[in-house]
């Protein structure tokens, strides 16, 4: 971690999140991914943190981003979307990155279909934020920064 530059957080979004706002609005709302990123960027600025964003509909691209995030970021906020429930590859890449992560979901998967109740990353993340819409991304940023700052302070003690 470089204290001068501030903490660097990578936001990763999985399939169909590029069409947020237009996608099942009764489920996911009218907020777009750009709206969410705008709110996250503003929160990061006031926290003195740096954020980067990547969305893909392709599992392998998310895997590659996680691989290259190792040493380049301090933490990850990830909404793997449908891959949450299926992707061993994304779980393995998250473990490879060695980065602390927060899993975020716009909806609360526990209140939805059975197949959404399984998350292949839930036991390898610091925590999960679900069911509060796009606001969950800002909450995830704040939670991850707090976690990293506490870990950093512990490392220095
Ligand atoms: C989601 C929940 C997933 O089950 C779904 O496949 C998504 C979005 C959410 O943010 O609520 O695409 O991750």
């Amino acid at each position: 971690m470089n204290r001068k530059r501030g903490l660097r957080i990578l936001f990763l979004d999985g399939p169909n999140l590029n069409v947020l706002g237009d996608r099942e609005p009764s489920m996911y709302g009218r907020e777009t991914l750009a709206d969410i990123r705008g709110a996250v960027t503003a929160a990061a600025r006031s926290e003195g943190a740096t954020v980067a964003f990547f969305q893909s509909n392709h599992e392998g691209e998310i895997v590659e981003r996680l691989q290259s995030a190792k040493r380049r970021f301090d933490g990850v906020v990830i909404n793997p979307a449908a891959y949450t429930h299926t992707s061993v590859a994304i779980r393995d890449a998250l473990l490879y990155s060695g980065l602390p992560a927060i899993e975020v979901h716009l909806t609360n998967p526990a209140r939805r279909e059975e197949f959404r109740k399984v998350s292949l990353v839930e036991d390898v993340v610091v925590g999960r934020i679900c069911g509060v819409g796009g606001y969950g991304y800002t909450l995830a940023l704040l939670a991850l920064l707090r976690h990293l700052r506490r870990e950093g302070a512990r490392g220095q003690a």
Side-chain angles (χ1 to χ4, degrees):
M1 173 198 336
N2 181 328
R3 291 200 173 271
K4 263 194 188 146
R5 184 189 49 226
L7 293 164
R8 302 155 303 177
I9 309 299
L10 175 63
F11 282 73
L12 286 178
D13 282 290
N16 299 305
L17 293 173
N18 56 316
V19 289
L20 216 53
D22 193 28
R23 171 194 184 193
E24 297 179 77
S26 60
M27 176 70 67
Y28 294 108
R30 287 277 175 206
E31 204 177 12
T32 66
L33 195 54
D35 294 334
I36 293 171
R37 289 174 173 179
V40 166
T41 301
R45 196 170 302 133
S46 58
E47 288 289 322
T50 303
V51 285
F53 302 101
F54 181 72
Q55 185 279 331
S56 178
N57 296 320
H58 304 278
E59 187 176 19
E61 287 187 357
I62 297 168
V63 166
E64 284 166 4
R65 275 305 155 119
L66 281 168
Q67 290 178 358
S68 64
K70 190 177 174 118
R71 296 184 199 95
R72 293 182 50 219
F73 289 90
D74 299 299
V76 176
V77 173
I78 186 164
N79 182 350
Y83 290 139
T84 306
H85 320 298
T86 63
S87 180
V88 176
I90 289 175
R91 175 197 171 89
D92 287 350
L94 195 52
L95 285 171
Y96 169 79
S97 78
L99 295 172
I102 303 277
E103 177 185 355
V104 58
H105 297 283
L106 297 143
T107 61
N108 181 354
R111 298 183 63 177
R112 300 181 62 189
E113 302 96 323
E114 279 304 309
F115 65 85
R116 294 187 206 274
K117 293 182 181 164
V118 172
S119 164
L120 296 189
V121 296
E122 69 181 353
D123 60 319
V124 298
V125 294
V126 173
R128 309 177 80 203
I129 297 173
C130 307
V132 293
Y135 183 50
Y137 286 69
T138 296
L139 292 178
L141 172 72
L142 298 177
L144 189 52
L145 292 176
R146 182 169 179 268
H147 171 82
L148 288 164
R149 286 170 183 148
R150 287 184 159 193
E151 290 292 301
R154 197 170 304 153
Q156 290 200 329

